[in-house]
Amino acid sequence: MMASPHPAIVLLALTMLLLFNYHTTPKPPPQQPELKPQPQLHDQTPGWHKGHRMSQCEDYTTYSTKKHKPLSKGELKLPFMRPPDECKTFKSAAVEELITDYGERMIDDDLFQLFRNCLPNTLDTTILWHNNDIESPRTFVSTGDIHAEWLRDSARQLSVYQRFIKQDESLKLLIKGAILQQAEYINVAPYCNAFQPPKGSNVPRKPSSVDKVSPKPDWEQVFECKWELDSLASFLTLINEYLQHSGDYQILRDNLVTNSFHTIAKILKRESTPTFRTDNGKLNPFHYAFRRDTDIGSETLVLSGLGNPLNGETGLVRSAFRPSDDACIFQYLVPANIQMMVELRKLTRSLREHNDIPIMPGSDRTLSWAFQHYADEIQRGVEEYAIVEHPQFGKVYAYEVDGYGGRNIMDDANLPSLLSLPVLEYTTIDDPVYANTRRMVLSKRGNPYYLVGNHLQGIGGPHVGLFHVWPMSIIMQIRTTDDDNEILALLDTLKRSSGGLGLMHEGVHVSSPGGAVFTRSWFSWCNSEFGKMVLELAERKPWLLFKDSPK
């Protein structure tokens, strides 16, 4: 449901369209594609592993489309998809020990094959550069089939390994290096979501997505520059999880990290500013704009790159794009605001105990004060503007709002999402508003992107169209239910949706038997989410996985 546009908004839109001569051509409705089992692959530079792996190693983009032995002993005969030892980009003894242990205990051999392929996939294939200097390490983590690092993706890819760092010093150093590398990126271009390999790493590059962006980033370092609030929130997730599992609070004193905190505080202040001044209604200066030459509406922003107007005094923070990299309709993106709020509160506690510094030289106010302030304001904004009455489901969380009464009722598979709110540690699965929201987003009547086909159903999103469910959403559905039967049914769905390749994919066609039609054969983020889901089930419901754990 959307509110009627205010006359001032209409006038602003017409004025800016005339000034910038900006227009778009409507696209015809998408046609049902012919079902051919041809995975969508991204162009790669041959020999990307050189300098990191032996020259005979096959590009994993190709390797991940072929079945390798040994096959699982279960019904599905799923292949073994880990690269040869000499081709792996990083090895963790602690991760390998756990995989061996689970192999001896898991009931379902097909499920175990998926697990041992997915859990180490980020370490096996995406650590394209790692400087293991003890004092100041650096780590570059690609998203998989693209030679670029997304702040959000890489933080989520590494999240599953945080629990192992007390047992594995090399893994701890790897993740510390990822934190420092992300801090460097944020200090250079805080509005950007994806970055090129560091200079001197000798990792082959793909050309950057050079768009009309203000402020103009350094395209030598930036791969794509979409302002996504969850990118900065995910950086804080990476740090908070590292602090929790390592106890290494010295990292809070690193200049790169403290500078990144100051940068984040500055961006939160800027992007809490509404479109119009609250005292006289005049247009505020804008801090970020994005335009792309494209006929895909979700790949650019309306109003000459500013996006739809936002009301003031809401407490919420603007996000121009979603975690799917699609443009927001209403730029107060609720799941991203919630993730930022949760992570700010965690970081505030750590700063107060270990390294609280002034917002600026001579100020009585500290970073922890600023972060607590923004967390409290976001909480107020969520409670006042994001909880809405749905005619069928009652009180629910909206996906996006604008502070004027406009709201977007939907959910997207990418994290953070409404479905994932308990996983973000914002609420619990039995919270009434969340329970209503979960029922809504997992229904065709409640969520336009809950997709149903002949072989699969689940949440997708506009990023790859109306025919693909993202396995990531099914993983989140498992992690947000206490129903054993629902979990077992969804685990079976995941097993039977890999196209017979034993890995998680970005999207799977809803009417493709066995998941033979999918996008992205090498999508490490989802592989890590699958591994994390199995580890979480092992703690929460071990009787569903292990022979030696009766209920």
Side-chain angles (χ1 to χ4, degrees):
M1 296 180 294
M2 300 183 186
S4 299
H6 191 281
I9 298 174
V10 175
L11 178 60
L12 174 67
L14 292 173
T15 301
M16 299 189 85
L17 286 171
L18 289 171
L19 285 172
F20 290 91
N21 191 28
Y22 183 71
H23 66 276
T24 57
T25 303
K27 291 185 69 178
Q31 301 297 313
Q32 175 75 19
E34 183 180 359
L35 294 186
K36 294 182 179 180
Q38 297 178 344
Q40 174 183 318
L41 303 177
H42 293 263
D43 293 335
Q44 291 293 301
T45 304
W48 64 270
H49 47 75
K50 288 180 179 177
H52 307 276
R53 305 195 297 176
M54 295 179 65
S55 60
Q56 66 265 32
C57 295
E58 185 174 9
D59 185 329
Y60 196 77
T61 310
T62 304
Y63 191 92
S64 60
T65 64
K66 303 173 184 178
K67 297 182 178 182
H68 305 275
K69 293 183 178 180
L71 304 180
S72 63
K73 298 175 183 178
E75 171 196 355
L76 300 178
K77 301 292 186 289
L78 295 176
F80 179 70
M81 300 301 286
R82 300 186 66 182
D85 281 350
E86 65 272 16
C87 298
K88 293 172 182 173
T89 56
F90 190 86
K91 300 174 187 177
S92 165
V95 173
E96 297 300 332
E97 182 179 344
L98 180 132
I99 291 172
T100 299
D101 175 60
Y102 277 32
E104 296 170 354
R105 300 170 57 206
M106 285 184 73
I107 300 167
D108 187 327
D109 201 63
D110 290 328
L111 186 64
F112 170 69
Q113 187 80 312
L114 265 178
F115 176 70
R116 75 166 169 172
N117 289 337
C118 291
L119 175 67
N121 185 256
T122 286
L123 299 180
D124 283 353
T125 66
T126 71
I127 311 301
L128 300 192
W129 179 71
H130 175 47
N131 178 349
N132 60 357
D133 178 86
I134 297 295
E135 296 300 322
S136 189
R138 295 291 188 280
T139 307
F140 177 78
V141 185
S142 80
T143 188
D145 52 5
I146 308 173
H147 284 193
E149 176 170 333
W150 269 253
L151 297 181
R152 170 195 54 256
D153 293 34
S154 57
R156 298 297 307 187
Q157 285 169 250
L158 294 174
S159 176
V160 68
Y161 308 121
Q162 297 269 18
R163 68 187 65 202
F164 298 102
I165 61 179
K166 283 184 180 177
Q167 308 159 246
D168 191 330
E169 283 293 324
S170 64
L171 186 58
K172 175 182 172 183
L173 194 65
L174 179 89
I175 293 178
K176 181 179 179 180
I179 291 170
L180 297 182
Q181 186 63 56
Q182 286 204 7
E184 274 195 17
Y185 287 145
I186 288 168
N187 291 331
V188 167
Y191 281 105
C192 299
N193 58 321
F195 294 83
Q196 291 283 7
K199 293 178 181 179
S201 66
N202 296 321
V203 177
R205 294 179 168 211
K206 185 178 179 180
S208 296
S209 300
V210 179
D211 299 297
K212 299 170 186 175
V213 181
S214 177
K216 185 178 179 181
D218 178 2
W219 293 110
E220 285 294 309
Q221 300 188 63
V222 171
F223 179 79
E224 184 177 63
C225 197
K226 291 179 173 178
W227 162 232
E228 298 167 2
L229 178 62
D230 67 279
S231 290
L232 297 186
S234 295
F235 169 66
L236 299 185
T237 301
L238 184 64
I239 290 178
N240 285 329
E241 290 181 341
Y242 176 80
L243 293 174
Q244 175 190 349
H245 291 283
S246 71
D248 176 20
Y249 290 96
Q250 280 298 115
I251 198 169
L252 296 177
R253 300 180 182 276
D254 189 286
N255 286 336
L256 279 173
V257 173
T258 57
N259 289 341
S260 72
F261 292 164
H262 283 293
T263 299
I264 291 170
K266 178 176 66 177
I267 297 299
L268 292 176
K269 181 178 181 180
R270 284 181 181 176
E271 297 310 318
S272 299
T273 305
T275 305
F276 304 101
R277 289 178 56 172
T278 55
D279 57 350
N280 61 19
K282 293 182 179 179
L283 187 66
N284 270 316
F286 62 87
H287 299 286
Y288 172 85
F290 179 99
R291 286 186 293 163
R292 174 171 289 178
D293 294 328
T294 178
D295 62 355
I296 302 173
S298 59
E299 285 292 324
T300 191
L301 297 179
V302 300
L303 295 178
S304 299
L306 299 184
N308 288 313
L310 296 171
N311 209 352
E313 300 178 349
T314 65
L316 298 170
V317 183
R318 175 195 187 205
S319 184
F321 290 88
R322 301 168 182 168
S324 61
D325 299 334
D326 297 311
C328 292
I329 296 173
F330 301 124
Q331 294 187 49
Y332 291 141
L333 178 60
V334 175
N337 270 269
I338 286 175
Q339 183 189 10
M340 178 59 78
M341 179 196 68
V342 169
E343 299 305 333
L344 286 174
R345 285 186 170 157
K346 290 180 180 179
L347 184 58
T348 293
R349 292 191 290 270
S350 296
L351 288 172
R352 285 174 178 167
E353 293 177 13
H354 298 281
N355 189 37
D356 209 0
I357 56 179
I359 298 176
M360 59 183 65
S363 174
D364 292 334
R365 291 180 172 175
T366 62
L367 274 175
S368 70
W369 176 90
F371 288 160
Q372 184 65 55
H373 167 73
Y374 288 119
D376 291 344
E377 282 294 285
I378 292 171
Q379 177 73 56
R380 176 181 67 83
V382 168
E383 292 174 355
E384 291 183 10
Y385 294 93
I387 298 175
V388 300
E389 189 72 31
H390 191 283
Q392 182 176 349
F393 297 97
K395 288 189 181 299
V396 298
Y397 292 102
Y399 187 68
E400 297 168 346
V401 296
D402 64 0
Y404 289 103
R407 75 282 300 267
N408 186 5
I409 301 298
M410 60 163 281
D411 201 16
D412 188 281
N414 285 263
L415 307 181
S417 62
L418 293 179
L419 182 61
S420 70
L421 293 185
V423 175
L424 299 178
E425 300 180 27
Y426 172 67
T427 189
T428 59
I429 62 174
D430 54 1
D431 165 48
V433 178
Y434 174 74
N436 291 344
T437 304
R438 188 178 189 273
R439 287 190 301 111
M440 178 185 73
V441 302
L442 292 176
S443 72
K444 192 63 187 171
R445 293 281 295 175
N447 182 6
Y449 293 103
Y450 187 81
L451 308 177
V452 178
N454 296 331
H455 295 279
L456 190 62
Q457 61 185 37
I459 300 174
H463 195 66
V464 293
L466 299 175
F467 305 108
H468 289 77
V469 166
W470 289 52
M472 193 179 298
S473 73
I474 298 173
I475 291 168
M476 285 302 111
Q477 191 175 347
I478 290 172
R479 292 191 64 188
T480 55
T481 182
D482 198 42
D483 186 322
D484 287 8
N485 292 327
E486 182 181 3
I487 292 170
L488 290 171
L490 293 170
L491 287 173
D492 191 65
T493 296
L494 289 172
K495 285 191 309 181
R496 298 178 186 278
S497 303
S498 76
L501 290 173
L503 291 167
M504 294 291 100
H505 300 131
E506 179 190 56
V508 178
H509 198 289
V510 293
S511 294
S512 170
V517 177
F518 57 85
T519 61
R520 300 182 70 178
S521 63
W522 180 19
F523 185 43
S524 287
W525 177 11
C526 196
N527 288 327
S528 282
E529 295 295 347
F530 182 90
K532 195 169 186 179
M533 176 266 295
V534 171
L535 294 180
E536 187 266 344
L537 280 180
E539 296 174 353
R540 183 166 63 102
K541 291 180 175 288
W543 57 88
L544 298 181
L545 299 179
F546 300 129
K547 306 167 190 173
D548 55 1
S549 298
K551 187 170 181 178

